[in-house]
Amino acid sequence: MMTTAVSGINVLTDGCVTSPNGYSAGGVHCGIRRKKLDLGWIFSATPASSAGVYTTNRFQAAPLSITKESIAVEQKLQAVLVNSGVANACTGEQGLIDARWMRSAFARLLGIKEHLAGVASTGLIGPELPVSKIEKGLIKFGEPESHGADLFETAIQTTDTSQKRAAVQFEADGKKITVGGAAKGSGMIHPNMATMLGFITTDADVSGQDLQKALREAVNRSFNMITVDGDSSTNDMVLIMANGKAGNSPLTEEHPDWETFTQALEKICTMLARQIARDGEGAARLIETTVTGAATEEAAGKVAKAVISSNLVKTAVFGTDPNWGRIVCAVGYSGEPVEPEKISVKLGHIPLFKNGVPLPFDEIEGIAYLNQETVSIFVDLGQGEAEATAWGCDLTYDYIKINASYRT
Amino acid sequence: MMTTAVSGINVLTDGCVTSPNGYSAGGVHCGIRRKKLDLGWIFSATPASSAGVYTTNRFQAAPLSITKESIAVEQKLQAVLVNSGVANACTGEQGLIDARWMRSAFARLLGIKEHLAGVASTGLIGPELPVSKIEKGLIKFGEPESHGADLFETAIQTTDTSQKRAAVQFEADGKKITVGGAAKGSGMIHPNMATMLGFITTDADVSGQDLQKALREAVNRSFNMITVDGDSSTNDMVLIMANGKAGNSPLTEEHPDWETFTQALEKICTMLARQIARDGEGAARLIETTVTGAATEEAAGKVAKAVISSNLVKTAVFGTDPNWGRIVCAVGYSGEPVEPEKISVKLGHIPLFKNGVPLPFDEIEGIAYLNQETVSIFVDLGQGEAEATAWGCDLTYDYIKINASYRT
């Protein structure tokens, strides 16, 4: 089952949110969407330490407020309910009433305390939550064919074309610890959260407070480093649950395995984030931009995001055009005090630009490189030691097609 | 000849850079581009007070440095030479040598001092300036043509599909004063200057210092309020020349007609900026977003630009989808401390969203409205009295087509 080993962290082939001990998941069709599954859930056998990271959009959707309320009580969740099709965003007071109802109906069904349930929604902004449909969907949760991470991953999709899942394992205190995850997100994806939901589960024993810190850091280096179209949405949220079933002594910053845990968490978040970027609306290619030689990690991140967000870079990659001019142009307007004469750019292994001056290169080789499914752009700023990586996708005819007719 | 009167400012039908007294212009084919004209010039009969506003991109193209150098000497220019096809950007030391050569060859031809000539380039980033082609083009400059401005407007185009020109008239000291302009720009257009060149001429008598102040303000409210794709380029520049041929007493901030002058200048800049936004690469529609009720003009501008820059808003307009959710989402991530419950949105005359809650509206009417050539979006923040307007365009299949194959 185990493959790529990264410093004691093993990626599980086909791992998912139910890979860690003590979690189940599922999804049903409740009728918000025409045919696709549209209501999913994750359940932990016992209450789990929890933490969340939320959109920075000023229009924060109702389910985010309600989930925050839940976690605030004792930094724990036992279950999460997610619907797709309707975002319950920009719905005013009624939106809060509906999200609260959703939480309470779900908690009642499971027989758990209300504040141990979280809720999430994704889909069209504006319409009110179709509560009667969700009510009908909840009844189906008992049926055996409603169970499985696979169904959960499907139920949370909107314009996604693929399921997003990952899991890794490592050891702490001689116990095997697993971290799993699921995510959705395709359009409206941009740094600082987007229409993007991420759910991480682990059987590690970690306090809610430590979990919050570790999650924030992992999200900053993964989900916050992807962009599809620059639009940060109202509904983005990444939640983590840690139920302690692995039996390790609680992981804290003092624990010798703390760093392995945070690395495992970052690994899961990065794996999911890359899957989201690759599935960007209409995308044909994943673009990975690594910026090195920056004065600070923040500066490196800002430059990497500027490149990955450029519509001109995105269309050049779609057109397999090794147009480094658009890359350096984006570096130049990133807002960071870069120094042109110190900047170098590579496309994969091909040097295009060195210390502010273009290099001769084999155009055919450049085009061939861009024809791959994953395109790596390397930018060195020549100013320091810090680095960061951001992920995005090319901009294609299909992006226009999907978004010029989303509602119809 | 005169049409729309705006508080003593009259728009000249078909006015252009040669509408003010004492200016001539022209354009030739020198061979940088296959067939299109690619070398244009503006000439003032006498040295004119001059000012410029330049891109904020850290990779500032060589011709901008050289033009700045010229203006710095005595805040005057008498002529400007512009080539299209090659941007002379990211060309290191050689780029500066070439731009300086271009200026000197042009000044020699005209028999003027070198520092009275300005140069500008637009086109592909990276390649060196083909100086021998420009040299050959300069030889053709001999014969003055009656349609000079027309040739100039054509020679400065790259992916533009239309010429951009405007002129207005007003009176100062009982003298008729004319302000004219030409511009190019189609892609890589974003606030804070883009691959966008603007040339303003006037026969008013104004000092270089006062001109600089007036130009900066006019540019902030016009060229800096448009976006096509969020990419600020290396070559953007707006230049103004004022040759005093109108015979007015010098316009200064104390002059009773100073405000009329600055309004006329803002009018010209806005007319040209709108033409650029409308001609955005692949654009089918001009989108105009006005934000009112802001605490400051800066805040209003930031929100208006966020809306106009959103790929999701742009594709919704292309798809004639009255999707107000994408508009409020962009308002929410603009970075300004907006308060959702105070925000209202209108599409033209159709209210869609009031005080944070969606309104019922006639979908058919919304679609019909979006089918117009100019689409106006109004956002009220309910926080103050300040307002700002930004211009952009829809995002279409043709944008992808143009930019996925710019070089081939």
Side-chain angles (χ1 to χ4, degrees):
Chain A
M1 275 284 279
M2 291 184 201
T3 53
T4 348
V6 185
S7 58
I9 298 167
N10 300 303
V11 174
L12 298 185
T13 308
D14 237 15
C16 61
V17 275
T18 53
S19 296
N21 278 323
Y23 291 94
S24 53
V28 299
H29 176 251
C30 77
I32 304 176
R33 316 202 60 180
R34 228 171 324 167
K35 284 186 165 180
K36 282 168 90 173
L37 300 194
D38 48 14
L39 194 63
W41 51 273
I42 300 175
F43 179 71
S44 167
T46 50
S49 294
S50 282
V53 175
Y54 310 88
T55 185
T56 54
N57 195 307
R58 301 280 298 186
F59 282 89
Q60 198 169 82
L64 277 68
S65 307
I66 302 307
T67 299
K68 271 188 200 169
E69 247 181 53
S70 283
I71 294 179
V73 179
E74 47 173 332
Q75 291 186 285
K76 284 191 174 163
L77 287 179
Q78 191 169 356
V80 183
L81 180 65
V82 190
N83 75 277
S84 61
V86 164
N88 191 12
C90 297
T91 41
E93 267 309 306
Q94 190 58 46
L96 289 169
I97 292 168
D98 292 344
R100 210 167 264 129
W101 171 89
M102 184 170 162
R103 175 177 68 174
S104 125
F106 182 50
R108 215 175 316 122
L109 180 79
L110 300 175
I112 60 174
K113 286 180 195 155
E114 213 164 289
H115 72 260
L116 291 178
V119 288
S121 299
T122 176
L124 194 59
I125 296 174
E128 287 180 10
L129 198 68
V131 290
S132 64
K133 288 179 179 168
I134 291 177
E135 197 163 20
K136 273 179 213 150
L138 286 174
I139 296 166
K140 298 190 189 171
F141 277 17
E143 298 162 12
E145 64 273 23
S146 71
H147 290 250
D150 189 58
L151 299 174
F152 174 75
E153 291 157 11
T154 308
I156 64 177
Q157 294 181 349
T158 54
T159 52
D160 302 60
T161 65
S162 66
Q163 292 165 244
K164 289 150 191 89
R165 48 160 61 193
V168 297
Q169 269 180 352
F170 65 96
E171 286 202 358
D173 301 333
K175 312 279 182 185
K176 191 158 66 182
I177 289 182
T178 310
V179 186
K184 69 98 11 193
S186 181
M188 238 194 221
I189 303 291
H190 193 61
N192 292 319
M193 313 296 292
T195 301
M196 200 225 78
L197 294 172
F199 303 95
I200 322 278
T201 53
T202 178
D203 43 24
D205 189 340
V206 196
S207 78
Q209 209 176 339
D210 288 325
L211 213 48
Q212 181 66 51
K213 218 187 136 179
L215 182 66
R216 160 58 67 193
E217 221 160 276
V219 166
N220 278 348
R221 292 185 171 168
S222 56
F223 294 113
N224 281 351
M225 292 302 285
I226 56 175
T227 187
V228 168
D229 52 20
D231 287 60
S232 301
S233 113
T234 51
N235 287 56
D236 310 325
M237 173 160 64
V238 177
L239 291 176
I240 184 166
M241 297 164 76
N243 64 12
K245 295 281 182 204
N248 60 296
S249 61
L251 291 167
T252 65
E253 289 187 69
E254 284 70 43
H255 194 289
D257 295 313
W258 175 254
E259 209 180 312
T260 312
F261 170 67
T262 58
Q263 277 178 11
L265 186 55
E266 189 179 323
K267 177 85 186 157
I268 281 289
C269 290
T270 303
M271 287 170 75
L272 293 172
R274 281 176 60 116
Q275 290 174 51
I276 290 173
R278 175 60 188 88
D279 195 27
E281 286 173 342
R285 293 184 183 86
L286 174 72
I287 310 177
E288 179 169 67
T289 298
T290 299
V291 174
T292 53
T296 63
E297 187 182 330
E298 203 195 332
K302 218 165 146 192
V303 173
K305 285 191 218 167
V307 172
I308 228 74
S309 303
S310 159
N311 276 356
L312 289 171
V313 171
K314 289 152 70 76
T315 45
V317 171
F318 174 54
T320 61
D321 174 3
N323 192 328
W324 56 266
R326 296 183 180 175
I327 298 169
V328 302
C329 182
V331 172
Y333 67 68
S334 63
E336 286 301 316
V338 300
E339 294 156 277
E341 69 284 2
K342 292 187 179 169
I343 291 170
S344 300
V345 175
K346 275 194 206 177
L347 191 60
H349 55 287
I350 313 165
L352 300 180
F353 192 77
K354 199 171 164 76
N355 299 328
V357 180
L359 298 173
F361 69 96
D362 182 349
E363 188 95 7
I364 304 299
E365 198 188 351
I367 292 169
Y369 179 78
L370 287 169
N371 251 320
Q372 301 180 119
E373 205 172 286
T374 299
V375 167
S376 298
I377 296 170
F378 298 97
V379 177
D380 191 273
L381 301 181
Q383 294 181 315
E385 299 296 321
E387 59 176 270
T389 300
W391 297 270
C393 59
D394 53 356
L395 178 59
T396 70
Y397 293 108
D398 282 348
Y399 176 84
I400 310 287
K401 192 170 167 185
I402 292 166
N403 285 298
S405 57
Y406 179 65
R407 304 202 312 172
T408 48
Chain B
M1 275 288 276
M2 292 183 200
T3 53
T4 346
V6 184
S7 56
I9 299 166
N10 300 303
V11 173
L12 298 185
T13 309
D14 236 14
C16 61
V17 275
T18 53
S19 296
N21 278 322
Y23 291 95
S24 52
V28 299
H29 176 252
C30 76
I32 305 177
R33 315 201 60 181
R34 228 172 323 168
K35 285 185 167 182
K36 284 168 90 173
L37 300 194
D38 48 14
L39 194 63
W41 52 274
I42 301 175
F43 179 71
S44 167
T46 50
S49 295
S50 281
V53 174
Y54 309 89
T55 185
T56 54
N57 194 307
R58 301 280 298 187
F59 282 88
Q60 198 169 81
L64 278 68
S65 308
I66 302 306
T67 300
K68 270 188 198 167
E69 247 180 52
S70 282
I71 294 179
V73 179
E74 49 172 331
Q75 289 186 289
K76 284 193 172 156
L77 287 178
Q78 190 168 356
V80 184
L81 180 64
V82 190
N83 76 276
S84 60
V86 164
N88 192 10
C90 298
T91 42
E93 267 309 306
Q94 190 58 44
L96 288 168
I97 292 168
D98 293 343
R100 210 168 265 129
W101 171 88
M102 182 171 165
R103 175 178 67 172
S104 128
F106 182 50
R108 215 175 316 122
L109 180 79
L110 300 175
I112 62 173
K113 285 180 195 154
E114 216 165 287
H115 72 260
L116 290 177
V119 287
S121 299
T122 176
L124 195 59
I125 296 175
E128 287 181 10
L129 199 67
V131 290
S132 64
K133 289 180 179 168
I134 291 177
E135 197 163 18
K136 275 179 213 152
L138 286 174
I139 296 165
K140 299 191 190 172
F141 275 17
E143 324 88 48
E145 302 234 11
S146 52
H147 299 297
D150 189 58
L151 300 175
F152 175 76
E153 290 156 12
T154 308
I156 65 176
Q157 293 181 352
T158 54
T159 52
D160 303 60
T161 65
S162 65
Q163 293 165 243
K164 288 146 193 97
R165 48 162 55 193
V168 298
Q169 268 179 353
F170 65 97
E171 287 202 356
D173 300 334
K175 313 279 183 186
K176 191 158 68 180
I177 289 181
T178 309
V179 187
K184 68 98 13 194
S186 180
M188 238 195 222
I189 303 290
H190 192 63
N192 292 319
M193 312 295 292
T195 299
M196 199 224 77
L197 295 172
F199 303 95
I200 322 277
T201 54
T202 177
D203 44 24
D205 189 342
V206 196
S207 77
Q209 208 176 342
D210 288 326
L211 214 49
Q212 180 66 52
K213 215 185 140 181
L215 182 66
R216 158 60 64 198
E217 222 161 273
V219 167
N220 278 347
R221 291 183 173 169
S222 56
F223 294 113
N224 281 350
M225 293 302 285
I226 56 176
T227 187
V228 168
D229 51 21
D231 287 61
S232 302
S233 111
T234 51
N235 287 57
D236 311 324
M237 171 160 64
V238 177
L239 291 176
I240 184 166
M241 296 164 77
N243 65 10
K245 295 281 182 204
N248 59 295
S249 63
L251 291 166
T252 65
E253 289 189 70
E254 284 69 42
H255 195 290
D257 295 314
W258 175 255
E259 210 181 312
T260 313
F261 169 67
T262 58
Q263 277 177 12
L265 186 56
E266 188 178 323
K267 176 86 186 158
I268 282 289
C269 290
T270 303
M271 285 170 76
L272 293 172
R274 280 177 60 117
Q275 289 174 51
I276 290 173
R278 174 61 187 86
D279 195 24
E281 285 173 342
R285 293 185 182 85
L286 174 72
I287 310 178
E288 179 169 67
T289 299
T290 300
V291 173
T292 54
T296 63
E297 188 182 328
E298 202 196 330
K302 215 164 147 192
V303 173
K305 284 191 218 166
V307 172
I308 229 74
S309 304
S310 158
N311 276 357
L312 289 171
V313 170
K314 289 153 71 77
T315 46
V317 170
F318 173 55
T320 63
D321 174 3
N323 191 327
W324 57 266
R326 296 183 182 176
I327 299 169
V328 303
C329 181
V331 172
Y333 67 67
S334 64
E336 286 301 316
V338 300
E339 295 157 277
E341 68 284 3
K342 291 186 178 171
I343 291 168
S344 300
V345 176
K346 274 192 206 180
L347 192 60
H349 56 286
I350 313 164
L352 300 180
F353 193 76
K354 201 174 161 69
N355 299 330
V357 180
L359 298 173
F361 70 96
D362 183 348
E363 188 97 6
I364 304 297
E365 198 188 352
I367 292 169
Y369 179 78
L370 287 170
N371 251 319
Q372 301 180 121
E373 205 172 285
T374 299
V375 166
S376 298
I377 296 170
F378 298 97
V379 177
D380 192 273
L381 302 180
Q383 294 180 316
E385 300 296 322
E387 59 176 89
T389 299
W391 297 271
C393 59
D394 53 354
L395 178 59
T396 71
Y397 293 109
D398 281 347
Y399 177 85
I400 309 286
K401 194 171 166 187
I402 293 166
N403 284 299
S405 58
Y406 179 65
R407 304 202 310 172
T408 47

